[in-house]
Amino acid sequence: MSIQTPVITDDTARHVLWHYSRDGGIRPGRGTQSLMEAIDAADMANVEKLRLGFPELVAAMLTAKNDIGGIAKLQQIASGV
């Protein structure tokens, strides 16, 4: 079984940037805000459960939190480059 990394869309990148108060962010709806708060607060076992239903959002959140240059990557996606 192969695990594919979901493609992060420009909208999702903007929402995650907003969550972390970074340039290029746009405020999402309340439901997405709640999901991002849950992902941010969850331990890794529960993040993996959330990934099942929201793979793109989890990938973007983890990119922002854990990847060196992750914020810059999301800003690039958000700008359409």
XYZ file of all heavy atoms in Angstrom:
607
model
N 0.841 -1.177 0.000
C 0.000 0.000 0.000
C 0.889 1.243 0.000
O 1.804 1.364 0.797
C -0.871 -0.014 1.259
C -1.821 1.156 1.341
S -2.974 0.980 2.709
C -2.210 2.058 3.899
N 0.608 2.175 -0.897
C 1.388 3.401 -0.933
C 0.605 4.539 -0.283
O -0.618 4.592 -0.358
C 1.753 3.779 -2.368
O 0.599 4.182 -3.065
N 1.334 5.406 0.356
C 0.724 6.570 0.988
C 1.070 7.774 0.136
O 2.244 8.060 -0.079
C 1.236 6.765 2.423
C 0.844 5.566 3.271
C 0.693 8.051 3.016
C 1.417 5.584 4.660
N 0.041 8.445 -0.366
C 0.267 9.615 -1.196
C 0.103 10.865 -0.361
O -0.800 10.963 0.453
C -0.707 9.641 -2.358
C -0.499 8.503 -3.339
C -1.466 8.590 -4.494
O -2.515 9.194 -4.406
N -1.095 7.976 -5.604
N 0.986 11.818 -0.584
C 0.878 13.104 0.075
C -0.146 13.923 -0.696
O -0.022 14.074 -1.909
C 2.235 13.832 0.076
O 3.190 13.004 0.726
C 2.130 15.173 0.786
N -1.164 14.437 -0.006
C -2.172 15.211 -0.725
C -1.608 16.533 -1.224
O -0.688 17.103 -0.632
C -3.260 15.449 0.325
C -2.598 15.262 1.628
C -1.452 14.327 1.407
N -2.157 16.991 -2.328
C -1.788 18.292 -2.870
C -2.459 19.355 -2.009
O -3.647 19.278 -1.714
C -2.245 18.417 -4.337
C -2.016 19.817 -4.866
C -1.538 17.387 -5.204
N -1.695 20.340 -1.585
C -2.232 21.436 -0.776
C -2.667 22.537 -1.730
O -1.859 23.064 -2.497
C -1.174 21.957 0.216
C -0.756 20.844 1.174
C -1.699 23.178 0.967
C 0.441 21.179 2.041
N -3.953 22.869 -1.694
C -4.484 23.915 -2.576
C -4.153 25.295 -2.029
O -3.802 25.452 -0.852
C -6.006 23.796 -2.717
O -6.613 24.002 -1.439
C -6.409 22.437 -3.279
N -4.302 26.287 -2.876
C -4.018 27.661 -2.455
C -4.956 28.108 -1.336
O -4.524 28.789 -0.401
C -4.051 28.634 -3.634
C -5.337 28.601 -4.439
O -6.152 27.676 -4.275
O -5.530 29.518 -5.258
N -6.219 27.704 -1.378
C -7.148 28.075 -0.302
C -6.722 27.485 1.039
O -6.720 28.177 2.056
C -8.578 27.625 -0.615
C -9.280 28.527 -1.610
O -8.872 29.706 -1.760
O -10.250 28.060 -2.239
N -6.358 26.215 1.040
C -5.934 25.584 2.283
C -4.658 26.236 2.799
O -4.518 26.483 4.003
C -5.743 24.074 2.092
O -7.017 23.509 1.738
C -5.230 23.404 3.354
N -3.725 26.530 1.913
C -2.490 27.205 2.323
C -2.815 28.548 2.970
O -2.263 28.888 4.024
C -1.562 27.395 1.126
N -3.718 29.315 2.377
C -4.096 30.614 2.941
C -4.737 30.460 4.318
O -4.489 31.262 5.218
C -5.051 31.339 1.998
C -4.388 31.842 0.746
C -5.381 32.623 -0.121
N -4.839 32.796 -1.438
C -5.305 32.195 -2.532
N -6.356 31.405 -2.466
N -4.732 32.404 -3.698
N -5.575 29.452 4.482
C -6.231 29.231 5.769
C -5.224 28.887 6.854
O -5.304 29.397 7.977
C -7.283 28.132 5.648
C -8.416 28.500 4.749
N -9.232 27.552 4.178
C -8.880 29.697 4.314
C -10.146 28.160 3.441
N -9.941 29.465 3.503
N -4.273 28.024 6.539
C -3.263 27.634 7.519
C -2.360 28.824 7.844
O -2.003 29.038 9.007
C -2.467 26.404 7.036
C -1.295 26.105 7.947
C -3.401 25.193 6.945
N -2.025 29.614 6.838
C -1.232 30.817 7.104
C -1.984 31.760 8.036
O -1.402 32.355 8.937
C -0.880 31.523 5.785
C 0.143 30.792 4.909
C 0.191 31.417 3.525
C 1.513 30.774 5.558
N -3.270 31.897 7.844
C -4.079 32.732 8.742
C -4.020 32.175 10.163
O -3.847 32.922 11.124
C -5.532 32.793 8.260
C -6.407 33.536 9.210
C -6.616 34.883 9.248
C -7.165 32.991 10.292
N -7.469 35.204 10.282
C -7.816 34.055 10.942
C -7.360 31.699 10.779
C -8.642 33.873 12.039
C -8.180 31.518 11.872
C -8.806 32.595 12.492
N -4.159 30.862 10.304
C -4.142 30.205 11.616
C -2.865 30.549 12.379
O -2.895 30.751 13.591
C -4.272 28.692 11.443
C -4.232 27.926 12.724
N -5.308 27.842 13.576
C -3.238 27.219 13.301
C -4.971 27.102 14.624
N -3.728 26.718 14.476
N -1.750 30.612 11.664
C -0.470 30.909 12.293
C -0.089 32.389 12.187
O 1.061 32.749 12.445
C 0.624 30.017 11.703
C 0.465 28.577 12.124
C 0.067 27.607 11.215
C 0.671 28.197 13.442
C -0.099 26.290 11.605
C 0.507 26.890 13.839
C 0.114 25.939 12.917
O -0.059 24.636 13.313
N -1.058 33.236 11.821
C -0.863 34.698 11.744
C 0.321 35.078 10.860
O 1.152 35.913 11.226
C -0.684 35.287 13.148
O -1.790 34.997 13.954
N 0.385 34.452 9.702
C 1.478 34.720 8.770
C 0.962 35.453 7.543
O -0.219 35.370 7.194
C 2.148 33.408 8.349
C 2.692 32.592 9.523
C 3.596 33.384 10.462
N 4.889 33.650 9.943
C 5.964 32.942 10.218
N 5.903 31.909 11.043
N 7.108 33.269 9.671
N 1.854 36.160 6.868
C 1.504 36.889 5.655
C 0.921 35.937 4.612
O 1.411 34.820 4.446
C 2.729 37.583 5.059
C 3.197 38.766 5.898
O 2.402 39.283 6.710
O 4.361 39.173 5.734
N -0.111 36.416 3.921
C -0.748 35.622 2.870
C -1.947 34.842 3.344
O -2.610 34.176 2.553
N -2.243 34.907 4.642
C -3.353 34.149 5.191
C -4.696 34.816 4.974
O -4.795 36.035 4.891
N -5.718 33.988 4.864
C -7.104 34.442 4.765
C -7.930 33.623 5.750
O -7.801 32.396 5.811
C -7.651 34.266 3.335
C -6.896 35.164 2.366
C -9.146 34.567 3.282
C -7.301 35.005 0.921
N -8.776 34.307 6.483
C -9.597 33.659 7.503
C -10.596 32.688 6.866
O -11.373 33.063 5.998
C -10.350 34.724 8.291
C -11.149 34.158 9.420
C -11.875 35.271 10.151
N -12.509 34.717 11.328
C -12.736 35.398 12.425
N -12.402 36.669 12.494
N -13.298 34.822 13.450
N -10.578 31.440 7.329
C -11.546 30.462 6.830
C -12.862 30.551 7.610
O -12.977 31.332 8.560
C -10.854 29.130 7.109
C -10.075 29.394 8.349
C -9.616 30.832 8.239
N -13.793 29.717 7.237
C -15.042 29.619 7.980
C -14.822 28.992 9.353
O -13.757 28.427 9.643
N -15.840 29.096 10.194
C -15.737 28.619 11.576
C -15.437 27.122 11.673
O -14.682 26.686 12.537
C -17.014 28.966 12.344
C -16.942 28.607 13.802
C -15.913 29.497 14.517
N -15.741 29.014 15.874
C -14.561 28.669 16.401
N -13.455 28.791 15.715
N -14.475 28.228 17.624
N -16.010 26.329 10.785
C -15.751 24.888 10.816
C -14.295 24.560 10.553
O -13.697 23.740 11.253
N -13.723 25.209 9.566
C -12.306 24.996 9.251
C -11.431 25.506 10.382
O -10.436 24.870 10.737
C -11.938 25.667 7.916
O -12.768 25.113 6.889
C -10.476 25.444 7.562
N -11.815 26.633 10.977
C -11.056 27.139 12.128
C -11.045 26.104 13.246
O -9.996 25.845 13.852
C -11.665 28.437 12.643
C -11.463 29.624 11.730
C -12.146 30.865 12.269
O -12.070 31.154 13.459
N -12.817 31.599 11.398
N -12.196 25.508 13.523
C -12.289 24.498 14.585
C -11.443 23.273 14.259
O -10.784 22.717 15.146
C -13.750 24.091 14.799
O -14.497 25.177 15.278
N -11.457 22.846 13.003
C -10.630 21.704 12.610
C -9.152 22.007 12.789
O -8.399 21.167 13.293
C -10.900 21.332 11.151
C -12.157 20.532 10.884
C -12.438 20.473 9.390
C -12.018 19.128 11.454
N -8.738 23.200 12.407
C -7.329 23.561 12.568
C -6.942 23.606 14.039
O -5.848 23.164 14.397
C -7.036 24.888 11.868
C -7.096 24.778 10.359
S -6.497 26.229 9.465
C -7.629 27.483 10.015
N -7.819 24.102 14.884
C -7.541 24.111 16.327
C -7.413 22.689 16.849
O -6.524 22.399 17.665
C -8.651 24.859 17.063
C -8.649 26.353 16.801
C -9.902 27.055 17.284
O -10.723 26.430 17.999
O -10.074 28.236 16.935
N -8.280 21.784 16.378
C -8.223 20.387 16.813
C -6.928 19.726 16.356
O -6.270 19.022 17.132
C -9.428 19.621 16.286
N -6.546 19.950 15.107
C -5.308 19.372 14.576
C -4.115 19.897 15.357
O -3.216 19.140 15.737
C -5.169 19.669 13.073
C -6.258 18.938 12.279
C -3.770 19.289 12.561
C -6.446 19.442 10.860
N -4.114 21.191 15.618
C -3.006 21.823 16.334
C -2.870 21.286 17.759
O -1.759 21.141 18.264
C -3.233 23.336 16.368
C -1.956 24.138 16.304
O -0.899 23.568 15.993
O -2.021 25.341 16.561
N -3.983 20.964 18.396
C -3.970 20.530 19.791
C -3.799 19.016 19.962
O -3.449 18.555 21.050
C -5.265 20.964 20.478
N -4.025 18.259 18.903
C -4.061 16.797 19.013
C -2.675 16.186 19.128
O -1.693 16.716 18.596
C -4.769 16.214 17.794
N -2.611 15.036 19.824
C -1.390 14.240 19.811
C -1.321 13.523 18.459
O -2.284 13.540 17.689
C -1.354 13.258 20.985
C -2.518 12.277 20.991
O -3.032 11.921 19.902
O -2.921 11.853 22.083
N -0.184 12.927 18.149
C 0.010 12.351 16.816
C -0.964 11.218 16.503
O -1.382 11.072 15.353
C 1.458 11.883 16.619
C 2.424 13.040 16.351
S 1.883 14.227 15.073
C 1.895 13.219 13.609
N -1.367 10.446 17.495
C -2.339 9.374 17.235
C -3.652 9.962 16.741
O -4.265 9.449 15.798
C -2.558 8.544 18.495
N -4.069 11.049 17.354
C -5.319 11.672 16.937
C -5.164 12.505 15.670
O -6.109 12.617 14.890
C -5.911 12.493 18.078
C -6.519 11.578 19.122
O -7.346 10.742 18.818
N -6.066 11.714 20.353
N -3.979 13.043 15.440
C -3.725 13.732 14.166
C -3.891 12.730 13.022
O -4.481 13.049 11.985
C -2.321 14.376 14.142
C -1.931 14.803 12.722
C -2.264 15.571 15.076
N -3.396 11.513 13.218
C -3.542 10.491 12.179
C -5.011 10.148 11.933
O -5.409 9.896 10.800
C -2.727 9.248 12.517
C -1.224 9.485 12.467
C -0.755 10.069 11.132
O -1.226 9.632 10.059
O 0.090 10.979 11.157
N -5.812 10.151 12.963
C -7.258 9.925 12.785
C -7.886 11.083 12.014
O -8.722 10.867 11.128
C -7.935 9.748 14.139
C -7.555 8.458 14.827
C -8.175 8.368 16.207
C -7.691 7.114 16.919
N -8.191 7.031 18.301
N -7.498 12.301 12.341
C -8.017 13.463 11.626
C -7.562 13.465 10.165
O -8.288 13.914 9.280
C -7.595 14.757 12.326
C -8.292 15.024 13.659
C -7.549 16.081 14.463
C -9.738 15.440 13.426
N -6.372 12.935 9.928
C -5.848 12.866 8.553
C -6.754 12.016 7.664
O -6.862 12.271 6.456
C -4.435 12.296 8.561
C -3.770 12.335 7.195
C -2.476 11.530 7.156
N -1.500 11.903 8.141
C -0.515 12.788 7.927
N -0.419 13.408 6.776
N 0.360 13.024 8.873
N -7.414 11.023 8.220
C -8.291 10.157 7.429
C -9.420 10.960 6.778
O -9.800 10.690 5.645
C -8.876 9.042 8.300
C -7.884 8.034 8.855
C -8.571 7.076 9.813
C -7.197 7.284 7.726
N -9.952 11.928 7.493
C -11.061 12.717 6.959
C -10.637 14.009 6.298
O -11.355 14.540 5.441
N -9.477 14.527 6.682
C -9.033 15.844 6.217
C -7.550 15.806 5.830
O -6.727 16.514 6.412
C -9.279 16.894 7.317
C -10.689 16.868 7.835
C -11.000 16.181 9.002
C -11.708 17.498 7.136
C -12.308 16.130 9.473
C -13.018 17.458 7.592
C -13.318 16.769 8.764
N -7.193 14.970 4.856
C -5.769 14.773 4.557
C -5.048 16.045 4.119
O -3.900 16.272 4.517
C -5.774 13.725 3.445
C -7.145 13.783 2.861
C -8.055 14.192 3.982
N -5.690 16.870 3.310
C -5.033 18.081 2.821
C -4.777 19.069 3.950
O -3.687 19.641 4.066
C -5.889 18.732 1.740
C -5.300 20.012 1.212
C -6.258 20.777 0.319
O -7.398 20.345 0.102
O -5.829 21.848 -0.145
N -5.771 19.267 4.807
C -5.630 20.216 5.903
C -4.566 19.755 6.890
O -3.732 20.550 7.333
C -6.968 20.424 6.608
C -7.030 21.526 7.652
C -6.605 22.874 7.073
C -8.434 21.619 8.232
N -4.544 18.476 7.211
C -3.514 17.946 8.116
C -2.136 18.100 7.489
O -1.193 18.530 8.162
C -3.801 16.476 8.488
C -2.616 15.842 9.205
C -5.058 16.388 9.361
N -2.011 17.805 6.201
C -0.712 17.950 5.536
C -0.232 19.401 5.603
O 0.942 19.660 5.889
C -0.802 17.489 4.085
N -1.128 20.340 5.364
C -0.747 21.756 5.399
C -0.371 22.194 6.808
O 0.611 22.925 7.001
C -1.880 22.620 4.852
N -1.138 21.752 7.806
C -0.842 22.116 9.195
C 0.515 21.563 9.612
O 1.314 22.265 10.245
C -1.935 21.593 10.130
C -3.297 22.222 9.942
S -3.414 23.905 10.555
C -3.274 23.634 12.309
N 0.793 20.312 9.272
C 2.071 19.707 9.648
C 3.230 20.343 8.888
O 4.331 20.473 9.431
C 2.037 18.196 9.439
C 1.083 17.428 10.359
C 1.120 15.931 10.041
C 1.376 17.680 11.820
N 2.992 20.745 7.656
C 4.016 21.460 6.891
C 4.386 22.748 7.611
O 5.566 23.065 7.788
C 3.524 21.760 5.460
O 3.320 20.516 4.774
C 4.512 22.627 4.693
N 3.380 23.491 8.038
C 3.621 24.764 8.729
C 4.341 24.551 10.056
O 5.247 25.306 10.397
C 2.299 25.492 8.963
N 3.935 23.531 10.796
C 4.473 23.307 12.142
C 5.846 22.654 12.156
O 6.666 22.961 13.021
C 3.522 22.407 12.946
C 2.289 23.088 13.434
C 1.354 22.118 14.124
C 1.921 21.600 15.413
N 0.921 20.906 16.250
N 6.093 21.743 11.220
C 7.244 20.853 11.357
C 8.320 20.985 10.288
O 9.447 20.562 10.516
C 6.779 19.395 11.379
C 5.854 19.114 12.538
O 5.966 19.720 13.594
N 4.918 18.200 12.341
N 7.982 21.500 9.125
C 8.956 21.534 8.040
C 9.786 22.814 8.079
O 9.224 23.906 8.216
C 8.266 21.456 6.678
C 7.645 20.101 6.395
O 7.735 19.208 7.264
O 7.062 19.945 5.304
N 11.092 22.671 7.930
C 11.938 23.850 7.759
C 11.520 24.481 6.433
O 11.469 23.807 5.410
C 13.430 23.467 7.741
C 13.844 22.924 9.102
C 14.287 24.649 7.314
C 15.237 22.362 9.158
N 11.179 25.739 6.475
C 10.701 26.408 5.272
C 9.246 26.119 4.951
O 8.773 26.467 3.873
N 8.540 25.502 5.884
C 7.145 25.137 5.643
C 6.239 26.338 5.428
O 5.368 26.318 4.551
N 6.438 27.378 6.224
C 5.631 28.593 6.065
C 5.900 29.202 4.695
O 4.968 29.578 3.975
C 5.909 29.604 7.198
C 5.409 29.075 8.541
C 5.290 30.965 6.875
C 3.907 28.918 8.665
N 7.140 29.275 4.300
C 7.486 29.824 2.983
C 6.863 28.988 1.866
O 6.385 29.529 0.866
C 9.000 29.903 2.821
N 6.858 27.670 2.037
C 6.243 26.787 1.046
C 4.752 27.093 0.937
O 4.216 27.190 -0.172
C 6.464 25.325 1.428
C 5.835 24.337 0.483
C 6.105 22.905 0.910
C 5.425 21.930 -0.030
N 5.671 20.548 0.376
N 4.072 27.249 2.067
C 2.642 27.558 2.037
C 2.394 28.937 1.434
O 1.407 29.125 0.702
C 2.031 27.450 3.433
C 1.987 26.049 4.025
C 1.428 26.094 5.446
C 1.174 25.104 3.161
N 3.263 29.883 1.721
C 3.115 31.217 1.124
C 3.284 31.150 -0.392
O 2.562 31.839 -1.117
C 4.122 32.193 1.751
C 3.747 32.561 3.176
C 4.814 33.331 3.914
O 6.006 33.121 3.703
N 4.389 34.216 4.805
N 4.174 30.325 -0.842
C 4.358 30.145 -2.284
C 3.108 29.521 -2.903
O 2.650 29.985 -3.954
C 5.583 29.272 -2.553
C 5.931 29.119 -4.004
C 7.199 28.315 -4.201
O 7.555 27.481 -3.367
N 7.872 28.543 -5.305
N 2.555 28.506 -2.272
C 1.332 27.882 -2.761
C 0.194 28.896 -2.783
O -0.551 29.003 -3.754
C 0.958 26.647 -1.912
C 1.982 25.533 -2.086
C -0.443 26.153 -2.258
C 1.864 24.406 -1.075
N 0.065 29.660 -1.694
C -1.019 30.637 -1.555
C -0.950 31.714 -2.624
O -1.976 32.221 -3.077
C -0.990 31.263 -0.167
N 0.260 32.060 -3.038
C 0.422 33.113 -4.039
C 0.240 32.605 -5.463
O 0.254 33.387 -6.405
C 1.792 33.781 -3.893
O 2.810 32.902 -4.289
N 0.093 31.297 -5.606
C -0.122 30.720 -6.932
C 1.136 30.508 -7.733
O 1.094 30.253 -8.922
N 2.276 30.583 -7.075
C 3.565 30.404 -7.776
C 3.912 28.937 -7.841
O 3.702 28.175 -6.991
C 4.691 31.191 -7.067
C 6.017 30.924 -7.732
C 4.373 32.652 -7.077
